[in-house]
Amino acid sequence: MTSAAELGLDNPLRDPQDRRLPRIAGPCGVVLFGVTGDLARKKLIPAIYDLANRGLLPPGFALIGFARHDFGEQGFAQLAKKAAKAGARTPWRESTWKQLFAGVRFVEGSFDDDTAWEKLSHTLAELDEKQGTQGNHAFYLSIPPGLFPVVVSKLKQHGLAQAPGDAWRRVVIEKPFGHDLESAQQLNEIVAEVFPPESVFRIDHYLGKETVQNILAFRFANGMFEPVWNSHYVDHVQITMAEDIGIGTRAGYYDGIGAARDVIQNHLLQLMALVAMEEPVSLNAASLRIEKQKILANARPPQRLDLHTSHAQYTTGWAGGEEVAGYLEEEGIPADSTTETYAAIRLDIETRRWAGVPFYLRVGKRLGRRVTEVAVVFKRAPHLPFQSTDVEELGQNALVMRIQPDEGVTLRFGAKVPGTVMEIRDVNMDFAYGGTFVEDSPEAYERLILDVLLGDPPLFPQHEEVELAWEILDPIIRHWSRKKSIDTYPAGTWGPQSADAMIARDGRRWRRP
């Protein structure tokens, strides 16, 4: 009989009222490819430690690093411990690390080295026997997309994709999922030859954020909002992801990819689908996927892409009180690069619910501040029985769901100013997660890694969603590629004038978060 200690139920960090604890992963191992990269060190290893520290990983758990560096197992264990200590959200406990350390292994070799793959196969067999992982292993591809085909093919060649008996094997793929529709289809075909669809987990870490999932709770757990969640009452929707930082050390990845491929194709289109979709019959993976796919399949950019899209690069400006370089002056960026650091597009969803309601999506680096939000802006009241001077400062009602950094929901509406005259101004009713719930929200990768180990896929887009998203974005990117120049905006501002003109043509303006 399994003891409470083995299940992690004696963990002092465990809250007896924590309803998430029944979701404890069974015996399994995680193989990290690209274990020396920033993602593995800053996000994945700390997330695994935090899951163990919260009692959500079993004693029969293993972490295997695969890289060409000559660490040795002790060297890899030291790297993993350092990374976990630096990035953990939960307090450091040597007893937790001791439990994890028992299952830490390292395999040295390049991705085309069959000897290394044979060693990996032997290592997994040894862990199944000595650590009790029972043949259950997830292969996490924290590597550049160009290396996906060789790694997936080697998994098949060495029999690692096939699990014995009732065990499972899963593959985890980080974005980007291709760079256009054709490459995404090719990648999907390669993966599908080796793993069945239910064993493929495409990571979009934004979908692991607590506040993104709260969109579902907000819409479908409350009776007051859904009746007005349609074209009869909604004027338009703005979805914004703004960063105040530049590209940093990501020049090698970012140039040639750009803001639209990096963020709109996955994060923002997924947010749009959650905001716009019909109520699913349940919150299981299949039901959510069906409704999201309907939205993506019916989302269209306007015919005049020159009037309803904008792309630009940041130039020298001021951010955080100091002067910063422009994109073309960043280290590693070619002087003639036309890669966009800002992108804004309008989409129309051709369904009965959303006919005539434009969705404006924008993303940018070196903007005024860091914020991600969804703003549902409502139509003005059809009749205002006030003098024009009474409501001259009154804007449109809006419901704003803040994804980061100040997670919460704000409702903007008109209220009378105290006094003897009738004067109405905008006021905000604000809900903040941090001020209401004492529980810390799990880090996105904690939730997503646990879902992989549990085989729970609701938060992971399947290949149909990926391909539909590229069908939306490809015509826009092709249109931009035909232009000989790219717009600019000073760092620290809210984007180019072309983006302001784009939305102004529809008689609207961007929010200033």
Side-chain angles (χ1 to χ4, degrees), residues 176-399:
F177 315 120
H179 62 272
D180 57 14
L181 177 59
E182 183 180 0
S183 62
Q185 290 172 332
Q186 292 172 350
L187 176 59
N188 287 331
E189 289 173 2
I190 290 169
V191 175
E193 289 178 358
V194 181
F195 291 93
E198 64 273 13
S199 297
V200 181
F201 291 75
R202 295 167 180 83
I203 288 280
D204 184 341
H205 71 273
Y206 248 65
L207 298 185
K209 291 183 179 295
E210 195 79 20
T211 40
V212 170
Q213 295 178 64
N214 192 53
I215 293 174
L216 297 175
F218 184 88
R219 287 193 58 193
F220 303 128
N222 301 295
M224 68 179 79
F225 300 112
E226 196 63 16
V228 298
W229 212 259
N230 54 60
S231 61
H232 296 298
Y233 299 96
V234 176
D235 180 77
H236 70 282
V237 177
Q238 295 185 27
I239 303 178
T240 300
M241 179 179 168
E243 295 182 284
D244 54 4
I245 60 173
I247 60 166
T249 60
R250 300 178 70 212
Y253 162 79
Y254 196 88
D255 195 61
I257 298 294
R261 287 187 176 101
D262 189 39
V263 175
I264 291 181
Q265 187 273 338
N266 39 73
H267 301 333
L268 297 197
L269 287 178
Q270 284 286 324
L271 281 176
M272 183 190 75
L274 291 173
V275 170
M277 73 182 192
E278 297 298 322
E279 181 177 356
V281 295
S282 75
L283 292 183
N284 63 38
S287 298
L288 284 172
R289 191 179 305 132
I290 288 170
E291 299 306 333
K292 287 196 294 178
Q293 286 178 18
K294 289 178 183 177
I295 294 300
L296 295 174
N298 288 286
R300 304 277 188 276
Q303 291 185 345
R304 291 292 304 272
L305 296 179
D306 56 330
L307 301 180
H308 290 106
T309 69
S310 170
H311 72 313
Q313 290 176 348
Y314 62 82
T315 58
T316 303
W318 292 83
E322 62 181 26
E323 191 171 16
V324 295
Y327 180 72
L328 296 181
E329 287 78 51
E330 299 279 15
E331 185 176 352
I333 299 300
D336 59 350
S337 173
T338 56
T339 297
E340 80 280 357
T341 61
Y342 178 99
I345 65 175
R346 168 182 162 171
L347 296 177
D348 297 300
I349 299 175
E350 298 176 353
T351 65
R352 179 181 292 272
R353 179 187 289 264
W354 296 113
V357 178
F359 282 70
Y360 299 99
L361 281 59
R362 62 173 170 167
V363 58
K365 290 187 175 295
R366 287 292 187 209
L367 297 182
R369 60 168 295 202
R370 172 176 173 261
V371 63
T372 301
E373 67 172 33
V374 176
V376 180
V377 182
F378 293 93
K379 294 179 178 179
R380 296 183 184 277
H383 174 65
L384 293 173
F386 307 100
Q387 298 291 332
S388 59
T389 54
D390 297 341
V391 294
E392 60 185 11
E393 295 186 29
L394 185 64
Q396 290 172 272
N397 298 155
L399 191 149

Side-chain angles (χ1 to χ4, degrees), residues 4-331:
E6 290 174 322
L7 286 175
L9 303 183
D10 64 340
N11 190 324
L13 295 180
R14 176 183 179 267
D15 181 351
Q17 302 300 317
D18 190 345
R19 297 176 60 189
R20 296 168 294 189
L21 278 182
R23 291 166 50 86
I24 298 173
C28 59
V30 174
V31 181
L32 277 181
F33 297 100
V35 74
T36 58
D38 282 353
L39 177 63
R41 290 185 292 107
K42 295 180 179 179
K43 294 292 186 181
L44 304 182
I45 293 174
I48 288 172
Y49 168 81
D50 286 329
L51 288 172
N53 215 12
R54 292 169 52 210
L56 299 179
L57 296 181
F61 176 81
L63 174 63
I64 305 98
F66 189 110
R68 73 176 75 187
H69 292 70
D70 185 13
F71 286 122
E73 286 187 1
Q74 290 297 323
F76 173 64
Q78 292 173 2
L79 178 146
K81 184 176 183 179
K82 182 179 179 180
K85 269 191 169 182
R89 296 187 314 113
T90 56
W92 183 258
R93 298 172 66 222
E94 283 294 334
S95 58
T96 298
W97 176 251
K98 183 178 180 181
Q99 178 180 315
L100 276 176
F101 179 77
V104 170
R105 300 290 188 275
F106 179 74
V107 175
E108 177 194 354
S110 60
F111 294 143
D112 58 356
D113 181 1
D114 284 317
T115 302
W117 285 96
E118 290 171 6
K119 183 180 177 183
L120 176 61
S121 182
H122 293 315
T123 299
L124 297 185
E126 177 217 344
L127 288 167
D128 290 342
E129 180 182 349
K130 296 183 179 179
Q131 188 68 10
T133 48
Q134 299 183 12
N136 301 317
H137 297 286
F139 302 100
Y140 201 119
L141 275 56
S142 178
I143 56 178
L147 297 174
F148 290 169
V150 64
V151 172
V152 171
S153 65
K154 290 296 183 182
L155 288 171
K156 179 181 180 180
Q157 177 184 336
H158 291 271
L160 297 176
Q162 296 296 320
D166 294 330
W168 52 259
R169 300 290 165 92
R170 296 171 185 144
V171 64
V172 185
I173 302 175
E174 277 280 348
K175 76 172 187 71
F177 315 120
H179 62 272
D180 57 14
L181 177 59
E182 183 180 0
S183 62
Q185 290 172 332
Q186 292 172 350
L187 176 59
N188 287 331
E189 289 173 2
I190 290 169
V191 175
E193 289 178 358
V194 181
F195 291 93
E198 64 273 13
S199 297
V200 181
F201 291 75
R202 295 167 180 83
I203 288 280
D204 184 341
H205 71 273
Y206 248 65
L207 298 185
K209 291 183 179 295
E210 195 79 20
T211 40
V212 170
Q213 295 178 64
N214 192 53
I215 293 174
L216 297 175
F218 184 88
R219 287 193 58 193
F220 303 128
N222 301 295
M224 68 179 79
F225 300 112
E226 196 63 16
V228 298
W229 212 259
N230 54 60
S231 61
H232 296 298
Y233 299 96
V234 176
D235 180 77
H236 70 282
V237 177
Q238 295 185 27
I239 303 178
T240 300
M241 179 179 168
E243 295 182 284
D244 54 4
I245 60 173
I247 60 166
T249 60
R250 300 178 70 212
Y253 162 79
Y254 196 88
D255 195 61
I257 298 294
R261 287 187 176 101
D262 189 39
V263 175
I264 291 181
Q265 187 273 338
N266 39 73
H267 301 333
L268 297 197
L269 287 178
Q270 284 286 324
L271 281 176
M272 183 190 75
L274 291 173
V275 170
M277 73 182 192
E278 297 298 322
E279 181 177 356
V281 295
S282 75
L283 292 183
N284 63 38
S287 298
L288 284 172
R289 191 179 305 132
I290 288 170
E291 299 306 333
K292 287 196 294 178
Q293 286 178 18
K294 289 178 183 177
I295 294 300
L296 295 174
N298 288 286
R300 304 277 188 276
Q303 291 185 345
R304 291 292 304 272
L305 296 179
D306 56 330
L307 301 180
H308 290 106
T309 69
S310 170
H311 72 313
Q313 290 176 348
Y314 62 82
T315 58
T316 303
W318 292 83
E322 62 181 26
E323 191 171 16
V324 295
Y327 180 72
L328 296 181
E329 287 78 51
E330 299 279 15
E331 185 176 352

